[in-house]
Amino acid sequence: MQPRADDLPFDLRQLSIFLAVCDAGAMAAAARRLGLTQPAVSLAVAELESRVGAALFDRSIRPIGLTPAGALLRQRASALVSEARQIAPMLREVGRGRFPLVRLGLVDSLSRTLGPALADALSARADEAAILSGLTASHASALLSRNLDVMIGVDDLGEIGGLERWPVVSEAYVLMTPPDAGPVPDVAALKVLAGRLEFVRFSARSSTGVEIERHLRRIGVEPRRRLSFDTPQGLIAAVAEGGRFAIVTPLCVIEANAPAGSFAVSALPGPEFSRRLTLVAYDHELGRLPGELARLSRKRLAARLDDAPDLAGFVQVA
């Protein structure tokens, strides 16, 4: 016997409203998020409870809490709604074979290393592609305001829902000095170096700059403020010209492509200090494309690190 539509205990609209109430903690707040009236939300929840034959919310507490049945449904409903949302983008992708436009924000320390390969990959899948290189903070803002579709940067926007995240690479910060600066085995030697050579900073506008300043405070090193750059190219060129040092990442060094022999790179003394780069996109909106871009990025980075064995030990490709 064929099942009838009314045999199902819920529909996707009711499940979506139920999940919104779970996230918001109140029906009024969920109504505002969904652009519905509170009575409409209350009715949808009441109908869902009637159809499944169980109370889903404990309305005697504030904010309202889930009953055991509600907690179970929340687990299963999230997967069902997520799967359903994938269907339309996947059908469009299969039907058209191409996206009309894909805009990707790329942290500037990867623009030369990944930009051409990502451009080729996007051109093969989209009628129009745009790659914007710059600071992660700007790209994160653009992604959340729907002015970007994908970003690769140091902020995975972990506090924001509705996004998919693909780890790309993690790398330890390293010390970049003139080639004749000598070893810097510990924090005490780093303090001596800071008193002897000028320290070149990443701008405080960048996430990398902010993290480096926080790390320096943590280990009690306070180089004099004089020179900072937004881009790894400018910072590393300043070190390569001599008389200065910096804290950088291996991928920044590769990106800048400074002349061989004009600098030395060594482990940064003190506690572990690293950064992770992640590809972030809206969940399921681009089908398989984000995963493909992440895998391509990993492959290209691994190949590039094969040509830089002195830096490869500080980098781990996801």
Side-chain angles (χ1 to χ4, degrees):
M1 186 169 104
Q2 293 294 323
R4 299 181 324 214
D6 57 4
D7 289 337
L8 296 174
F10 43 69
D11 59 36
L12 290 174
R13 178 178 178 274
Q14 289 175 341
L15 286 183
S16 296
I17 292 173
F18 165 73
L19 290 173
V21 176
C22 292
D23 291 339
M27 294 192 188
R32 288 193 295 272
R33 291 186 185 183
L34 296 171
L36 301 173
T37 63
Q38 182 174 344
V41 170
S42 299
L43 179 61
V45 171
E47 289 179 350
L48 180 58
E49 290 178 320
S50 175
R51 293 176 73 171
V52 301
L56 301 175
F57 291 104
D58 182 352
R59 295 167 173 80
S60 66
I61 59 175
R62 289 292 182 272
I64 59 174
L66 288 168
T67 64
L72 175 61
L73 181 60
R74 184 181 191 181
Q75 293 175 346
R76 302 301 178 89
S78 295
L80 285 172
V81 172
S82 175
E83 187 73 20
R85 285 173 176 161
Q86 293 183 56
I87 294 175
M90 292 176 67
L91 290 176
R92 288 195 294 270
E93 184 177 350
V94 171
R96 296 185 66 255
R98 296 176 67 82
F99 296 100
L101 170 66
V102 178
R103 302 157 299 177
L104 185 146
L106 184 63
V107 64
D108 48 20
S109 54
L110 295 180
S111 59
R112 289 178 63 254
T113 305
L114 293 185
L118 292 174
D120 289 342
L122 290 176
S123 296
R125 299 290 303 278
D127 295 334
E128 182 181 352
I131 297 181
L132 294 86
S133 177
L135 301 176
T136 293
S138 297
H139 292 156
S141 177
L143 184 75
L144 295 178
S145 61
R146 294 283 185 169
N147 290 310
L148 281 180
D149 306 296
V150 187
M151 62 170 271
I152 300 177
V154 297
D155 186 352
D156 66 2
L157 301 174
E159 73 283 4
I160 306 297
L163 300 174
E164 56 182 295
R165 299 167 180 87
W166 296 81
V168 175
V169 67
S170 62
E171 54 178 345
Y173 284 91
V174 295
L175 189 64
M176 184 178 184
T177 63
D180 58 354
V184 185
D186 51 33
V187 172
L190 182 60
K191 291 180 179 179
V192 172
L193 182 71
R196 183 163 56 89
L197 297 180
E198 181 180 3
F199 180 62
V200 188
R201 288 172 158 84
F202 280 101
S203 164
R205 293 179 59 239
S206 70
S207 300
T208 297
V210 171
E211 290 302 315
I212 290 173
E213 293 302 314
R214 183 178 292 125
H215 181 75
L216 287 173
R217 289 194 298 271
R218 183 163 61 241
I219 63 176
V221 178
E222 300 181 7
R224 188 161 62 96
R225 292 184 177 275
R226 184 175 178 189
L227 183 62
S228 63
F229 288 88
D230 265 354
T231 66
Q233 294 89 341
L235 180 144
I236 288 170
V239 175
E241 288 180 2
R244 301 182 178 98
F245 78 103
I247 295 174
V248 298
T249 73
L251 294 178
C252 289
V253 176
I254 291 172
E255 180 69 20
N257 197 30
S262 63
F263 61 90
V265 170
S266 60
L268 181 65
E272 180 181 350
F273 181 36
S274 63
R275 71 172 187 172
R276 293 181 300 169
L277 299 174
T278 305
L279 184 146
V280 184
Y282 279 95
D283 204 9
H284 310 310
E285 291 191 4
L286 294 175
R288 295 183 298 273
L289 183 59
E292 294 171 0
L293 295 176
R295 287 187 287 273
L296 173 62
S297 298
R298 296 168 188 160
K299 181 178 178 180
R300 295 287 295 188
L301 288 170
R304 184 66 184 86
L305 288 165
D306 286 341
D307 297 329
D310 55 330
L311 297 172
F314 298 105
V315 183
Q316 183 176 2
V317 179

